[in-house]
């Protein structure tokens, strides 16, 4: 199976743009992460949208890197892999939060509270097992991967440089949340959402412009 450069760019643009819009949308009027909120219909909807957003980012990053691998080089490869690893771990966390925690919130409220505490950057009172590993991978991949991939995109000039720079700054700046009040968590996500939308718009616009249609092999049946 082959995909043209144009099609890869359009896939990247559509996925990253939609992911950015969802990322911003789910921050609006987001209730505090409490035991009472877990298990509600709104909680399930928001967690499902977060999971969908992570999948869109994974597809978008893969398509964008594949289309411009030659110009992004090793730095782009490392950045895309780190960023994707972070979002893959984030997908796992959102699925666990949305579909597992509600099932045990009444029988194991202490564990659920510890997961929520860890997700907000605090120190849980008890052992939350491998969920802590997923949270750590998600955080490191998101911050370091976003920084490296943003730099690679900026250097390669394959999409809008303002969006590439914003991605790098917005993702690594979340380190500041370690010393800021919880109220800053949602506002700090907005710049990343804007960056993803900017990358998506730029990738789609450039891919849709008249250009040579050169197929890119992405898979081959044995």
């Amino acid at each position: 199976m082959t995909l043209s450069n144009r099609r890869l760019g359009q896939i990247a643009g559509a996925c990253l743009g939609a992911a950015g819009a969802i990322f911003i949308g789910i921050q609006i009027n987001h209730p505090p992460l409490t035991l009472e909120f877990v298990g509600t219909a709104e909680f399930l909807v928001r967690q499902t949208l977060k999971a969908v957003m992570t999948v869109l980012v994974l597809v978008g990053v893969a398509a964008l890197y594949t289309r411009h691998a030659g110009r992004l080089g090793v730095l782009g490869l490392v950045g895309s892999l780190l960023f994707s690893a972070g979002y893959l771990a984030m997908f796992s966390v959102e699925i666990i939060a949305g579909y597992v925690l509600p099932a045990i919130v009444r029988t194991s409220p202490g564990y659920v509270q510890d997961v929520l505490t860890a997700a907000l950057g605090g120190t849980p009172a008890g052992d939350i097992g491998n969920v802590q590993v997923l949270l750590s991978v998600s955080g490191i991949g998101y911050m370091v991967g976003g920084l490296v991939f943003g730099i690679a995109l900026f250097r390669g000039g394959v999409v809008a440089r303002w969006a590439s720079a914003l991605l790098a700054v917005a993702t690594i700046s979340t380190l500041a949340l370690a010393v800021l009040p919880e109220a800053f968590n949602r506002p700090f996500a907005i710049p990343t959402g804007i960056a993803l939308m900017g990358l998506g718009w730029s990738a789609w616009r450039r891919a849709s412009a008249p250009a040579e249609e050169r197929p890119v092999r992405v898979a081959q049946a044995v």
Side-chain angles (χ1 to χ4, degrees):
M1 174 183 174
T2 59
L3 290 175
S4 68
N5 278 327
R6 174 173 296 182
R7 182 60 65 187
L8 282 171
Q10 290 174 336
I11 291 172
C15 289
L16 292 175
I22 295 174
F23 203 11
I24 293 174
I26 57 180
Q27 311 306 326
I28 299 174
N29 295 325
H30 197 302
L33 285 179
T34 62
L35 290 177
E36 293 73 24
F37 183 47
V38 174
T40 64
E42 181 181 354
F43 180 78
L44 177 60
V45 170
R46 288 183 182 272
Q47 291 304 126
T48 301
L49 286 173
K50 292 174 186 177
V52 170
M53 180 270 295
T54 62
V55 173
L56 289 171
V57 171
L58 287 168
V59 175
V61 168
L64 187 61
Y65 173 76
T66 301
R67 183 176 192 242
H68 300 290
R71 294 182 63 178
L72 295 178
V74 176
L75 189 66
L77 175 61
V78 172
S80 64
L81 290 176
L82 285 174
F83 202 41
S84 296
Y87 267 92
L88 184 60
M90 193 184 301
F91 171 79
S92 301
V93 170
E94 306 306 348
I95 292 298
I96 291 172
Y99 295 90
V100 177
L101 295 189
I104 63 173
V105 66
R106 292 188 178 182
T107 57
S108 305
Y111 177 81
V112 174
Q113 183 58 62
D114 282 343
V115 172
L116 296 179
T117 299
L120 293 171
T123 302
D127 182 14
I128 60 173
N130 290 330
V131 173
Q132 185 64 67
V133 177
L134 289 173
L135 288 170
S136 298
V137 173
S138 173
I140 294 172
Y142 173 80
M143 291 184 292
V144 180
L147 173 64
V148 177
F149 192 53
I151 292 173
L153 291 174
F154 185 88
R155 291 179 59 188
V158 297
V159 285
R161 280 195 162 95
W162 69 264
S164 304
L166 182 58
L167 178 69
V169 174
T171 50
I172 197 63
S173 66
T174 54
L175 282 170
L177 292 175
V179 295
L180 290 174
E182 181 183 334
F184 284 84
N185 285 4
R186 302 302 167 189
F188 259 65
I190 302 300
T192 300
I194 294 174
L196 290 174
M197 290 180 66
L199 293 175
W201 168 80
S202 178
W204 178 277
R205 183 170 176 269
R206 297 190 182 193
S208 299
E212 178 185 358
E213 284 287 295
R214 185 173 58 187
V216 177
R217 185 172 299 277
V218 295
Q220 183 176 355
V222 177

